[in-house]
PDB file of all heavy atoms in Angstrom:
ATOM      1  N   ILE A   1       0.841  -1.209   0.000  1.00  0.00           N
ATOM      2  CA  ILE A   1       0.000   0.000   0.000  1.00  0.00           C
ATOM      3  C   ILE A   1       0.870   1.251   0.000  1.00  0.00           C
ATOM      4  O   ILE A   1       0.561   2.229  -0.670  1.00  0.00           O
ATOM      5  CB  ILE A   1      -1.013   0.000   1.169  1.00  0.00           C
ATOM      6  CG1 ILE A   1      -1.995   1.162   1.010  1.00  0.00           C
ATOM      7  CG2 ILE A   1      -0.333   0.073   2.508  1.00  0.00           C
ATOM      8  CD1 ILE A   1      -3.140   1.138   1.993  1.00  0.00           C
ATOM      9  N   CYS A   2       1.978   1.222   0.728  1.00  0.00           N
ATOM     10  CA  CYS A   2       2.882   2.381   0.748  1.00  0.00           C
ATOM     11  C   CYS A   2       3.482   2.631  -0.627  1.00  0.00           C
ATOM     12  O   CYS A   2       3.562   3.778  -1.083  1.00  0.00           O
ATOM     13  CB  CYS A   2       3.982   2.181   1.785  1.00  0.00           C
ATOM     14  SG  CYS A   2       3.367   2.237   3.466  1.00  0.00           S
ATOM     15  N   GLN A   3       3.887   1.572  -1.302  1.00  0.00           N
ATOM     16  CA  GLN A   3       4.444   1.735  -2.641  1.00  0.00           C
ATOM     17  C   GLN A   3       3.407   2.320  -3.589  1.00  0.00           C
ATOM     18  O   GLN A   3       3.715   3.210  -4.371  1.00  0.00           O
ATOM     19  CB  GLN A   3       4.945   0.396  -3.179  1.00  0.00           C
ATOM     20  CG  GLN A   3       6.222  -0.076  -2.533  1.00  0.00           C
ATOM     21  CD  GLN A   3       6.618  -1.473  -2.979  1.00  0.00           C
ATOM     22  OE1 GLN A   3       5.773  -2.320  -3.265  1.00  0.00           O
ATOM     23  NE2 GLN A   3       7.912  -1.715  -3.024  1.00  0.00           N
ATOM     24  N   LEU A   4       2.173   1.824  -3.506  1.00  0.00           N
ATOM     25  CA  LEU A   4       1.122   2.344  -4.387  1.00  0.00           C
ATOM     26  C   LEU A   4       0.838   3.818  -4.114  1.00  0.00           C
ATOM     27  O   LEU A   4       0.684   4.607  -5.041  1.00  0.00           O
ATOM     28  CB  LEU A   4      -0.168   1.528  -4.229  1.00  0.00           C
ATOM     29  CG  LEU A   4      -0.144   0.129  -4.830  1.00  0.00           C
ATOM     30  CD1 LEU A   4      -1.384  -0.655  -4.421  1.00  0.00           C
ATOM     31  CD2 LEU A   4      -0.044   0.196  -6.349  1.00  0.00           C
ATOM     32  N   LEU A   5       0.789   4.198  -2.846  1.00  0.00           N
ATOM     33  CA  LEU A   5       0.507   5.594  -2.509  1.00  0.00           C
ATOM     34  C   LEU A   5       1.674   6.504  -2.871  1.00  0.00           C
ATOM     35  O   LEU A   5       1.473   7.622  -3.347  1.00  0.00           O
ATOM     36  CB  LEU A   5       0.180   5.730  -1.019  1.00  0.00           C
ATOM     37  CG  LEU A   5      -1.156   5.135  -0.579  1.00  0.00           C
ATOM     38  CD1 LEU A   5      -1.305   5.205   0.930  1.00  0.00           C
ATOM     39  CD2 LEU A   5      -2.325   5.832  -1.259  1.00  0.00           C
ATOM     40  N   MET A   6       2.886   6.022  -2.663  1.00  0.00           N
ATOM     41  CA  MET A   6       4.056   6.869  -2.921  1.00  0.00           C
ATOM     42  C   MET A   6       4.367   7.005  -4.405  1.00  0.00           C
ATOM     43  O   MET A   6       4.904   8.016  -4.829  1.00  0.00           O
ATOM     44  CB  MET A   6       5.271   6.326  -2.185  1.00  0.00           C
ATOM     45  CG  MET A   6       5.197   6.538  -0.704  1.00  0.00           C
ATOM     46  SD  MET A   6       6.690   5.899   0.072  1.00  0.00           S
ATOM     47  CE  MET A   6       6.550   6.621   1.686  1.00  0.00           C
ATOM     48  N   THR A   7       4.062   5.980  -5.180  1.00  0.00           N
ATOM     49  CA  THR A   7       4.376   6.052  -6.603  1.00  0.00           C
ATOM     50  C   THR A   7       3.244   6.666  -7.416  1.00  0.00           C
ATOM     51  O   THR A   7       3.437   7.008  -8.569  1.00  0.00           O
ATOM     52  CB  THR A   7       4.711   4.662  -7.179  1.00  0.00           C
ATOM     53  OG1 THR A   7       3.612   3.788  -6.948  1.00  0.00           O
ATOM     54  CG2 THR A   7       5.969   4.105  -6.551  1.00  0.00           C
ATOM     55  N   SER A   8       2.090   6.813  -6.807  1.00  0.00           N
ATOM     56  CA  SER A   8       0.966   7.434  -7.508  1.00  0.00           C
ATOM     57  C   SER A   8       1.211   8.928  -7.623  1.00  0.00           C
ATOM     58  O   SER A   8       1.708   9.566  -6.698  1.00  0.00           O
ATOM     59  CB  SER A   8      -0.326   7.176  -6.731  1.00  0.00           C
ATOM     60  OG  SER A   8      -1.361   7.955  -7.265  1.00  0.00           O
ATOM     61  N   ASP A   9       0.834   9.483  -8.764  1.00  0.00           N
ATOM     62  CA  ASP A   9       0.986  10.928  -8.929  1.00  0.00           C
ATOM     63  C   ASP A   9      -0.322  11.655  -8.636  1.00  0.00           C
ATOM     64  O   ASP A   9      -0.489  12.811  -8.969  1.00  0.00           O
ATOM     65  CB  ASP A   9       1.494  11.264 -10.331  1.00  0.00           C
ATOM     66  CG  ASP A   9       0.542  10.785 -11.416  1.00  0.00           C
ATOM     67  OD1 ASP A   9      -0.432  10.073 -11.101  1.00  0.00           O
ATOM     68  OD2 ASP A   9       0.773  11.127 -12.591  1.00  0.00           O
ATOM     69  N   VAL A  10      -1.253  10.958  -7.996  1.00  0.00           N
ATOM     70  CA  VAL A  10      -2.568  11.523  -7.706  1.00  0.00           C
ATOM     71  C   VAL A  10      -2.489  12.626  -6.659  1.00  0.00           C
ATOM     72  O   VAL A  10      -3.122  13.658  -6.781  1.00  0.00           O
ATOM     73  CB  VAL A  10      -3.544  10.422  -7.241  1.00  0.00           C
ATOM     74  CG1 VAL A  10      -4.874  11.005  -6.810  1.00  0.00           C
ATOM     75  CG2 VAL A  10      -3.737   9.398  -8.340  1.00  0.00           C
ATOM     76  N   ASP A  11      -1.697  12.412  -5.625  1.00  0.00           N
ATOM     77  CA  ASP A  11      -1.603  13.386  -4.547  1.00  0.00           C
ATOM     78  C   ASP A  11      -0.163  13.832  -4.366  1.00  0.00           C
ATOM     79  O   ASP A  11       0.609  13.196  -3.650  1.00  0.00           O
ATOM     80  CB  ASP A  11      -2.138  12.802  -3.241  1.00  0.00           C
ATOM     81  CG  ASP A  11      -2.191  13.821  -2.120  1.00  0.00           C
ATOM     82  OD1 ASP A  11      -1.831  14.993  -2.347  1.00  0.00           O
ATOM     83  OD2 ASP A  11      -2.592  13.455  -1.011  1.00  0.00           O
ATOM     84  N   PRO A  12       0.223  14.936  -4.999  1.00  0.00           N
ATOM     85  CA  PRO A  12       1.599  15.404  -4.865  1.00  0.00           C
ATOM     86  C   PRO A  12       1.931  15.861  -3.437  1.00  0.00           C
ATOM     87  O   PRO A  12       3.091  16.031  -3.104  1.00  0.00           O
ATOM     88  CB  PRO A  12       1.686  16.576  -5.848  1.00  0.00           C
ATOM     89  CG  PRO A  12       0.279  16.969  -6.133  1.00  0.00           C
ATOM     90  CD  PRO A  12      -0.576  15.760  -5.888  1.00  0.00           C
ATOM     91  N   GLU A  13       0.922  16.009  -2.595  1.00  0.00           N
ATOM     92  CA  GLU A  13       1.143  16.417  -1.208  1.00  0.00           C
ATOM     93  C   GLU A  13       1.390  15.232  -0.276  1.00  0.00           C
ATOM     94  O   GLU A  13       1.674  15.427   0.904  1.00  0.00           O
ATOM     95  CB  GLU A  13      -0.056  17.226  -0.698  1.00  0.00           C
ATOM     96  CG  GLU A  13      -0.206  18.575  -1.374  1.00  0.00           C
ATOM     97  CD  GLU A  13       1.008  19.462  -1.174  1.00  0.00           C
ATOM     98  OE1 GLU A  13       1.491  19.567  -0.033  1.00  0.00           O
ATOM     99  OE2 GLU A  13       1.490  20.032  -2.168  1.00  0.00           O
ATOM    100  N   PHE A  14       1.279  14.000  -0.777  1.00  0.00           N
ATOM    101  CA  PHE A  14       1.449  12.845   0.103  1.00  0.00           C
ATOM    102  C   PHE A  14       2.808  12.825   0.805  1.00  0.00           C
ATOM    103  O   PHE A  14       2.866  12.562   2.006  1.00  0.00           O
ATOM    104  CB  PHE A  14       1.206  11.522  -0.631  1.00  0.00           C
ATOM    105  CG  PHE A  14       1.316  10.340   0.285  1.00  0.00           C
ATOM    106  CD1 PHE A  14       0.332  10.081   1.224  1.00  0.00           C
ATOM    107  CD2 PHE A  14       2.419   9.501   0.239  1.00  0.00           C
ATOM    108  CE1 PHE A  14       0.432   9.008   2.095  1.00  0.00           C
ATOM    109  CE2 PHE A  14       2.528   8.430   1.105  1.00  0.00           C
ATOM    110  CZ  PHE A  14       1.523   8.176   2.032  1.00  0.00           C
ATOM    111  N   PRO A  15       3.916  13.113   0.108  1.00  0.00           N
ATOM    112  CA  PRO A  15       5.201  13.143   0.823  1.00  0.00           C
ATOM    113  C   PRO A  15       5.190  14.114   2.007  1.00  0.00           C
ATOM    114  O   PRO A  15       5.681  13.792   3.087  1.00  0.00           O
ATOM    115  CB  PRO A  15       6.201  13.595  -0.243  1.00  0.00           C
ATOM    116  CG  PRO A  15       5.577  13.221  -1.532  1.00  0.00           C
ATOM    117  CD  PRO A  15       4.092  13.337  -1.327  1.00  0.00           C
ATOM    118  N   THR A  16       4.586  15.283   1.807  1.00  0.00           N
ATOM    119  CA  THR A  16       4.506  16.263   2.889  1.00  0.00           C
ATOM    120  C   THR A  16       3.642  15.734   4.026  1.00  0.00           C
ATOM    121  O   THR A  16       3.988  15.867   5.202  1.00  0.00           O
ATOM    122  CB  THR A  16       3.928  17.599   2.366  1.00  0.00           C
ATOM    123  OG1 THR A  16       4.761  18.051   1.294  1.00  0.00           O
ATOM    124  CG2 THR A  16       3.862  18.644   3.450  1.00  0.00           C
ATOM    125  N   LYS A  17       2.516  15.119   3.676  1.00  0.00           N
ATOM    126  CA  LYS A  17       1.635  14.552   4.704  1.00  0.00           C
ATOM    127  C   LYS A  17       2.353  13.473   5.505  1.00  0.00           C
ATOM    128  O   LYS A  17       2.235  13.420   6.724  1.00  0.00           O
ATOM    129  CB  LYS A  17       0.378  13.962   4.066  1.00  0.00           C
ATOM    130  CG  LYS A  17      -0.553  14.974   3.461  1.00  0.00           C
ATOM    131  CD  LYS A  17      -1.700  14.284   2.761  1.00  0.00           C
ATOM    132  CE  LYS A  17      -2.584  15.256   2.019  1.00  0.00           C
ATOM    133  NZ  LYS A  17      -3.651  14.559   1.273  1.00  0.00           N
ATOM    134  N   LEU A  18       3.094  12.620   4.826  1.00  0.00           N
ATOM    135  CA  LEU A  18       3.805  11.542   5.507  1.00  0.00           C
ATOM    136  C   LEU A  18       4.917  12.093   6.390  1.00  0.00           C
ATOM    137  O   LEU A  18       5.045  11.705   7.549  1.00  0.00           O
ATOM    138  CB  LEU A  18       4.398  10.561   4.487  1.00  0.00           C
ATOM    139  CG  LEU A  18       5.251   9.432   5.068  1.00  0.00           C
ATOM    140  CD1 LEU A  18       4.408   8.509   5.944  1.00  0.00           C
ATOM    141  CD2 LEU A  18       5.918   8.648   3.966  1.00  0.00           C
ATOM    142  N   MET A  19       5.698  13.005   5.854  1.00  0.00           N
ATOM    143  CA  MET A  19       6.862  13.498   6.585  1.00  0.00           C
ATOM    144  C   MET A  19       6.506  14.535   7.655  1.00  0.00           C
ATOM    145  O   MET A  19       7.358  14.935   8.428  1.00  0.00           O
ATOM    146  CB  MET A  19       7.890  14.079   5.612  1.00  0.00           C
ATOM    147  CG  MET A  19       8.408  13.062   4.594  1.00  0.00           C
ATOM    148  SD  MET A  19       9.005  11.517   5.307  1.00  0.00           S
ATOM    149  CE  MET A  19      10.507  12.087   6.069  1.00  0.00           C
ATOM    150  N   SER A  20       5.246  14.956   7.705  1.00  0.00           N
ATOM    151  CA  SER A  20       4.859  15.928   8.731  1.00  0.00           C
ATOM    152  C   SER A  20       4.338  15.260  10.000  1.00  0.00           C
ATOM    153  O   SER A  20       3.779  15.926  10.865  1.00  0.00           O
ATOM    154  CB  SER A  20       3.807  16.897   8.183  1.00  0.00           C
ATOM    155  OG  SER A  20       2.597  16.211   7.930  1.00  0.00           O
ATOM    156  N   ARG A  21       4.563  13.965  10.138  1.00  0.00           N
ATOM    157  CA  ARG A  21       4.173  13.288  11.381  1.00  0.00           C
ATOM    158  C   ARG A  21       4.930  13.936  12.532  1.00  0.00           C
ATOM    159  O   ARG A  21       6.086  14.346  12.385  1.00  0.00           O
ATOM    160  CB  ARG A  21       4.487  11.795  11.349  1.00  0.00           C
ATOM    161  CG  ARG A  21       3.965  10.924  10.237  1.00  0.00           C
ATOM    162  CD  ARG A  21       2.722  11.200   9.491  1.00  0.00           C
ATOM    163  NE  ARG A  21       1.489  11.597  10.089  1.00  0.00           N
ATOM    164  CZ  ARG A  21       0.608  12.378   9.454  1.00  0.00           C
ATOM    165  NH1 ARG A  21       0.858  12.829   8.260  1.00  0.00           N
ATOM    166  NH2 ARG A  21      -0.520  12.702  10.028  1.00  0.00           N
ATOM    167  N   THR A  22       4.308  14.030  13.668  1.00  0.00           N
ATOM    168  CA  THR A  22       4.855  14.741  14.823  1.00  0.00           C
ATOM    169  C   THR A  22       6.240  14.252  15.220  1.00  0.00           C
ATOM    170  O   THR A  22       7.133  15.055  15.506  1.00  0.00           O
ATOM    171  CB  THR A  22       3.896  14.608  16.019  1.00  0.00           C
ATOM    172  OG1 THR A  22       2.610  15.078  15.611  1.00  0.00           O
ATOM    173  CG2 THR A  22       4.376  15.405  17.204  1.00  0.00           C
ATOM    174  N   SER A  23       6.464  12.955  15.232  1.00  0.00           N
ATOM    175  CA  SER A  23       7.764  12.419  15.650  1.00  0.00           C
ATOM    176  C   SER A  23       8.886  12.852  14.709  1.00  0.00           C
ATOM    177  O   SER A  23       9.992  13.135  15.147  1.00  0.00           O
ATOM    178  CB  SER A  23       7.716  10.894  15.711  1.00  0.00           C
ATOM    179  OG  SER A  23       6.803  10.486  16.689  1.00  0.00           O
ATOM    180  N   ILE A  24       8.592  12.887  13.435  1.00  0.00           N
ATOM    181  CA  ILE A  24       9.601  13.310  12.463  1.00  0.00           C
ATOM    182  C   ILE A  24       9.877  14.803  12.642  1.00  0.00           C
ATOM    183  O   ILE A  24      11.033  15.237  12.675  1.00  0.00           O
ATOM    184  CB  ILE A  24       9.138  13.001  11.026  1.00  0.00           C
ATOM    185  CG1 ILE A  24       9.021  11.493  10.835  1.00  0.00           C
ATOM    186  CG2 ILE A  24      10.088  13.615  10.002  1.00  0.00           C
ATOM    187  CD1 ILE A  24       8.380  11.086   9.543  1.00  0.00           C
ATOM    188  N   GLN A  25       8.820  15.582  12.779  1.00  0.00           N
ATOM    189  CA  GLN A  25       8.970  17.020  12.944  1.00  0.00           C
ATOM    190  C   GLN A  25       9.762  17.365  14.204  1.00  0.00           C
ATOM    191  O   GLN A  25      10.618  18.246  14.179  1.00  0.00           O
ATOM    192  CB  GLN A  25       7.600  17.695  12.998  1.00  0.00           C
ATOM    193  CG  GLN A  25       6.884  17.698  11.673  1.00  0.00           C
ATOM    194  CD  GLN A  25       7.601  18.501  10.616  1.00  0.00           C
ATOM    195  OE1 GLN A  25       8.143  19.568  10.865  1.00  0.00           O
ATOM    196  NE2 GLN A  25       7.637  17.974   9.412  1.00  0.00           N
ATOM    197  N   SER A  26       9.489  16.658  15.297  1.00  0.00           N
ATOM    198  CA  SER A  26      10.195  16.986  16.543  1.00  0.00           C
ATOM    199  C   SER A  26      11.684  16.669  16.444  1.00  0.00           C
ATOM    200  O   SER A  26      12.521  17.391  16.992  1.00  0.00           O
ATOM    201  CB  SER A  26       9.564  16.275  17.742  1.00  0.00           C
ATOM    202  OG  SER A  26       9.664  14.881  17.598  1.00  0.00           O
ATOM    203  N   THR A  27      12.032  15.608  15.728  1.00  0.00           N
ATOM    204  CA  THR A  27      13.444  15.281  15.528  1.00  0.00           C
ATOM    205  C   THR A  27      14.135  16.381  14.730  1.00  0.00           C
ATOM    206  O   THR A  27      15.240  16.818  15.065  1.00  0.00           O
ATOM    207  CB  THR A  27      13.588  13.930  14.790  1.00  0.00           C
ATOM    208  OG1 THR A  27      12.929  12.922  15.545  1.00  0.00           O
ATOM    209  CG2 THR A  27      15.036  13.553  14.579  1.00  0.00           C
ATOM    210  N   ILE A  28      13.479  16.858  13.686  1.00  0.00           N
ATOM    211  CA  ILE A  28      14.053  17.920  12.867  1.00  0.00           C
ATOM    212  C   ILE A  28      14.083  19.237  13.637  1.00  0.00           C
ATOM    213  O   ILE A  28      15.073  19.971  13.596  1.00  0.00           O
ATOM    214  CB  ILE A  28      13.286  18.057  11.540  1.00  0.00           C
ATOM    215  CG1 ILE A  28      13.566  16.829  10.673  1.00  0.00           C
ATOM    216  CG2 ILE A  28      13.668  19.332  10.801  1.00  0.00           C
ATOM    217  CD1 ILE A  28      12.803  16.777   9.394  1.00  0.00           C
ATOM    218  N   ASP A  29      13.016  19.540  14.379  1.00  0.00           N
ATOM    219  CA  ASP A  29      12.975  20.787  15.162  1.00  0.00           C
ATOM    220  C   ASP A  29      14.148  20.878  16.123  1.00  0.00           C
ATOM    221  O   ASP A  29      14.753  21.936  16.273  1.00  0.00           O
ATOM    222  CB  ASP A  29      11.663  20.888  15.955  1.00  0.00           C
ATOM    223  CG  ASP A  29      10.475  21.199  15.070  1.00  0.00           C
ATOM    224  OD1 ASP A  29      10.685  21.628  13.921  1.00  0.00           O
ATOM    225  OD2 ASP A  29       9.333  20.993  15.532  1.00  0.00           O
ATOM    226  N   GLU A  30      14.435  19.763  16.753  1.00  0.00           N
ATOM    227  CA  GLU A  30      15.544  19.749  17.712  1.00  0.00           C
ATOM    228  C   GLU A  30      16.865  20.071  17.012  1.00  0.00           C
ATOM    229  O   GLU A  30      17.693  20.803  17.523  1.00  0.00           O
ATOM    230  CB  GLU A  30      15.612  18.376  18.376  1.00  0.00           C
ATOM    231  CG  GLU A  30      16.568  18.313  19.532  1.00  0.00           C
ATOM    232  CD  GLU A  30      16.494  16.967  20.218  1.00  0.00           C
ATOM    233  OE1 GLU A  30      15.393  16.509  20.536  1.00  0.00           O
ATOM    234  OE2 GLU A  30      17.570  16.378  20.431  1.00  0.00           O
TER     235      GLU A  30
END
């Protein structure tokens, strides 16, 4: 399912949605 969602060009915002998870953001914020 991840491969299908990531390789689809339907939602160009999906990478942003995935990478904006709180845990990822807090690691980068630090």
